[in-house]
Amino acid sequence: MRTDLRKKLRRERWINFSSIAIILTCVFMLYPIVYSIFLSLHSHKGLTSTFVGPNNFVRLVKDTIFWQSLGNSFIFLIIQVPIMLVLGLLLAYLLQSDYIKGKGFFRMALFLPCVTSLVAYSIVFKALFQVDGLINNCLLALHIIQAPIHWLTDAFWAKAAIIIALCWRWTGYNTMFYIAGMQNIPRDTLEAARIDGANRFQEFFRVVVPQLKSMIVFTSITSTIGTIQLFDEVMNLTQGGPSNGTMTVSMYIYNHSFKYSSNFGYSAAMSWVVVLIIAVLSLIQLRVTRDKEG
């Protein structure tokens, strides 16, 4: 009897715990998703809501700033993500080398930017990239440039400054994943490659990289998602300027929600377009790697 009673009490506790988890999931995850779909079909300003059907999505097709912001996001994606992933792989390989001393210090130095305050590091980068900032002064002193570069007021150079800032902050994050992956590679395979006469270049590309494929796919997808949703660096460094030259989709959604005449319905429609783009890109990356594995 006591055993049955204990089992019953455990079952009731488990049911109560599961019910609480389900309720919290519905309140904080499912409800916002469903409500965002509802918003995307309405023109929602303040407390008033008008059903407009697919008009918000039709408006997107004609919105040149939306397409410009989407193009800027893809420029950051195409340039910054490959640089960050390749640098992360190379740095991880170097930090796993037996010839490097003080590995703990270098790993901490690489990961430190990831936990640095966004506002603090943005202020520092904004000062560095001023016309009379340290970057221009160093380039002028080395005779690399003849005149100061307008890093934050020229669309091309503003994109370059944001890419540099992103690489500085997030390369170490991916490096830590690659280091963890390399530590799981059997040393026998590396020693066998060296015995067969493989140099460092061949060892890296033919032994290390293939065994890190799953980790590379993971970091590629997470980096893609983060870049498509890029907001913080742009907001703090350029605020989308000059002339929307660095405007990203996330910042454009924010502007329509809180800066311009607020229209949460239109913002929700843009958000679902971003969700669809991220899903498609993630599926493509998974499909390509799966085909290569097959």
Side-chain angles (χ1 to χ4, degrees), residues 215-264:
M215 193 68 73
I216 293 172
V217 172
F218 170 76
T219 53
S220 176
I221 291 174
T222 55
S223 298
T224 297
I225 294 172
T227 305
I228 292 294
Q229 296 177 332
L230 180 62
F231 174 81
D232 297 331
E233 282 77 7
V234 176
M235 184 67 179
N236 285 279
L237 289 175
T238 63
Q239 296 187 348
S243 301
N244 300 320
T246 58
M247 178 75 69
T248 60
V249 178
S250 295
M251 189 170 183
Y252 193 51
I253 293 171
Y254 169 85
N255 288 343
H256 269 283
S257 298
F258 304 107
K259 190 174 180 180
Y260 306 152
S261 57
S262 299
N263 189 337
F264 296 110

Side-chain angles (χ1 to χ4, degrees), residues 18-71:
S18 301
S19 301
I20 293 172
I22 292 170
I23 291 171
L24 291 175
T25 301
C26 292
V27 171
F28 292 104
M29 293 186 67
L30 295 181
Y31 171 73
I33 292 173
V34 174
Y35 189 62
S36 68
I37 297 174
F38 170 82
L39 280 178
S40 67
L41 301 175
H42 289 72
S43 178
H44 198 98
K45 296 182 179 180
L47 298 177
T48 61
S49 177
T50 305
F51 180 77
V52 294
N55 287 355
N56 285 325
F57 296 95
V58 174
R59 179 182 171 185
L60 278 176
V61 178
K62 303 176 182 179
D63 191 342
T64 55
I65 299 178
F66 170 77
W67 290 108
Q68 183 181 3
S69 64
L70 186 62

Side-chain angles (χ1 to χ4, degrees), residues 90-234:
L90 293 174
L91 290 170
Y93 184 66
L94 288 174
L95 290 176
Q96 284 296 103
S97 173
D98 297 331
Y99 303 103
I100 301 295
K101 304 299 182 182
K103 295 179 183 178
F105 169 78
F106 289 111
R107 290 175 184 175
M108 181 191 68
L110 279 171
F111 189 72
L112 193 60
C114 303
V115 295
T116 302
S117 168
L118 172 67
V119 175
Y121 109 84
S122 297
I123 292 173
V124 172
F125 266 77
K126 200 166 185 177
L128 290 173
F129 285 104
Q130 292 294 325
V131 176
D132 57 349
L134 181 63
I135 301 296
N136 275 337
N137 289 336
C138 290
L139 294 175
L140 288 168
L142 296 171
H143 302 289
I144 296 175
I145 58 176
Q146 300 300 320
I149 297 174
H150 295 264
W151 289 98
L152 302 178
T153 56
D154 180 86
F156 175 82
W157 291 112
K159 289 186 181 73
I162 291 172
I163 289 171
I164 292 171
L166 289 170
C167 289
W168 177 84
R169 192 180 189 206
W170 294 114
T171 297
Y173 179 81
N174 290 327
T175 302
M176 295 301 110
F177 282 103
Y178 296 144
I179 288 175
M182 288 180 186
Q183 289 176 344
N184 292 325
I185 296 176
R187 296 190 64 87
D188 296 343
T189 59
L190 299 177
E191 292 174 359
R194 291 167 189 169
I195 292 172
D196 290 339
N199 55 36
R200 292 290 180 179
F201 184 85
Q202 294 171 327
E203 177 186 305
F204 178 73
F205 283 101
R206 297 186 180 182
V207 180
V208 175
V209 171
Q211 296 189 70
L212 289 178
K213 183 174 288 185
S214 59
M215 193 68 73
I216 293 172
V217 172
F218 170 76
T219 53
S220 176
I221 291 174
T222 55
S223 298
T224 297
I225 294 172
T227 305
I228 292 294
Q229 296 177 332
L230 180 62
F231 174 81
D232 297 331
E233 282 77 7
V234 176

